[in-house]
Amino acid sequence: MSWTIAGYVGYLVITVPLTIWVASTLSRNGRVFLADVFGGDDALADAVNRLLVVGFYLLNLGFVSLYLRSGVSNSAEDVFDVLSVKVGVVLLTLGVLHFFNVYVFNRLRRRHRLDQMPPMPPTTQYGVPAYPMSPR
């Protein structure tokens, strides 16, 4: 087996399980946010969560596949050099996508919570209510 093939195998052995682990972690923990966003509709939250996981797999495994190709590796040192760069780029990509997912979940959750808040009374220029609130 040539060093190049060893590099390909090592790259796939590292990146595919890593992608699966990140997707399962996002799925498990993101479900809580989705359930909150969809007002406790667990069936809808689960369906959206599964769709997000499928999209995550397609995007990341497609990237891993496209990034597989490398130059010829003539020694074990070349293999480790190539692997370190490739795995590092995949890790950075997974990290960026993870933070993007967290950002989107947080925005959806915040919007849902703002929609559920009672309307605020009109205020004047200085933040004082325009008309006195009646005591309850």
Side-chain angles (χ1 to χ4, degrees):
M1 180 163 71
S2 74
W3 288 110
T4 304
I5 293 174
Y8 290 161
V9 170
Y11 172 73
L12 291 174
V13 164
I14 294 169
T15 56
V16 171
L18 192 60
T19 299
I20 292 168
W21 174 73
V22 170
S24 67
T25 301
L26 287 173
S27 173
R28 186 174 49 254
N29 297 315
R31 191 205 173 286
V32 176
F33 288 104
L34 290 173
D36 186 37
V37 167
F38 294 120
D41 188 348
D42 291 338
L44 183 59
D46 288 338
V48 170
N49 199 18
R50 283 190 297 272
L51 290 173
L52 287 170
V53 168
V54 168
F56 185 83
Y57 278 132
L58 290 172
L59 184 66
N60 284 294
L61 292 176
F63 176 73
V64 164
S65 297
L66 287 173
Y67 205 59
L68 177 65
R69 187 172 180 181
S70 69
V72 175
S73 299
N74 295 323
S75 67
E77 186 177 302
D78 290 344
V79 170
F80 284 108
D81 285 344
V82 170
L83 271 178
S84 68
V85 170
K86 289 187 171 295
V87 171
V89 169
V90 169
L91 286 172
L92 288 172
T93 303
L94 287 172
V96 167
L97 288 172
H98 165 71
F99 283 115
F100 177 73
N101 280 338
V102 169
Y103 173 76
V104 169
F105 284 154
N106 193 38
R107 294 281 299 184
L108 290 170
R109 187 170 176 234
R110 182 178 294 148
R111 179 175 291 156
H112 175 71
R113 288 196 172 185
L114 285 175
D115 289 345
Q116 289 184 336
M117 288 181 65
M120 298 293 292
T123 60
T124 63
Q125 178 179 355
Y126 302 104
V128 178
Y131 52 89
M133 305 258 317
S134 62
R136 292 183 184 188

